[in-house]
Amino acid sequence: MKIAVVYWSGTGNTEAMASLFAKAFQGNGNDVEVIQCSDFDLTRIPDFDGFAFGCPAMGNEELEDSEFAPMYDEVEPLLEGEKVILFGSYDWNDGEWMEIWGKRAEDAGLNVLETVIAKDYPDASAEAEIARAAALMA
Ligand SMILES: Cc1cc2nc3c(=O)[nH]c(=O)nc-3n(C[C@H](O)[C@H](O)[C@H](O)COP(=O)(O)O)c2cc1C
């Protein structure tokens, strides 16, 4: 498969998760492109068979609103039935933003294979969770 890993990261934690996803996808024999969200738009969708979108909890349990959310709002309606994994880092809450995001994506008809969250920088257990989730993209 050709997989796009599309992410936003302010302080590098979600970026580290994106790198771990890329490594895991590649280890499973996929072609991977890691793309900053501002470089991704709807014209790129046909290039890929699967998508991993990464964004930390921002605002008040929200997606980052200046770069990630505008991109995601544009592409989500065009991803019906597509395989996606959603991931991101958080800190002081309990991951509610990802529950909201996952439900939103399912309601839009995306095939959400898994959601993965990491508190701050991804630790060894987050890395294992990423490897397990990445194997679902097949
Ligand atoms: C403006 C701002 C808003 C945030 N809002 C939340 C939040 O609503 N819930 C939460 O658990 N963490 C929140 N955080 C913490 C970040 O999600 C956390 O630091 C995360 O690891 C950042 O990921 P990054 O390094 O990929 O930018 C916020 C951080 C910032 C700077």
Side-chain angles (χ1 to χ4, degrees):
M1 291 177 73
K2 180 146 190 199
I3 301 169
V5 179
V6 183
Y7 74 97
W8 183 92
S9 184
T11 55
N13 298 332
T14 303
E15 184 173 46
M17 297 177 78
S19 297
L20 290 167
F21 266 109
K23 195 173 84 172
F25 287 138
Q26 280 162 350
N28 294 337
N30 299 290
D31 284 340
V32 183
E33 198 174 325
V34 181
I35 306 167
Q36 298 230 16
C37 66
S38 49
D39 294 329
F40 188 78
D41 63 38
L42 53 85
T43 63
R44 300 294 323 272
I45 292 172
D47 297 345
F48 300 99
D49 310 301
F51 304 84
F53 290 105
C55 183
M58 296 295 285
N60 179 17
E61 300 303 311
E62 291 158 312
L63 298 173
E64 190 279 325
D65 66 358
S66 70
E67 294 181 359
F68 189 86
M71 176 283 300
Y72 187 75
D73 288 348
E74 183 187 43
V75 303
E76 187 188 56
L78 301 168
L79 294 176
E80 194 172 345
E82 299 283 352
K83 294 175 180 172
V84 302
I85 290 171
L86 307 178
F87 67 93
S89 176
Y90 69 103
D91 185 6
W92 55 74
N93 243 329
D94 59 3
E96 189 188 351
W97 105 103
M98 185 58 78
E99 288 174 27
I100 295 166
W101 187 10
K103 180 167 187 334
R104 168 191 168 164
E106 283 181 354
D107 288 348
L110 281 58
N111 180 4
V112 182
L113 301 176
E114 192 57 280
T115 62
V116 180
I117 63 175
K119 186 164 164 59
D120 302 315
Y121 194 86
D123 62 10
S125 78
E127 186 168 350
E129 183 77 356
I130 287 167
R132 192 189 57 75
L136 301 174
M137 189 73 83

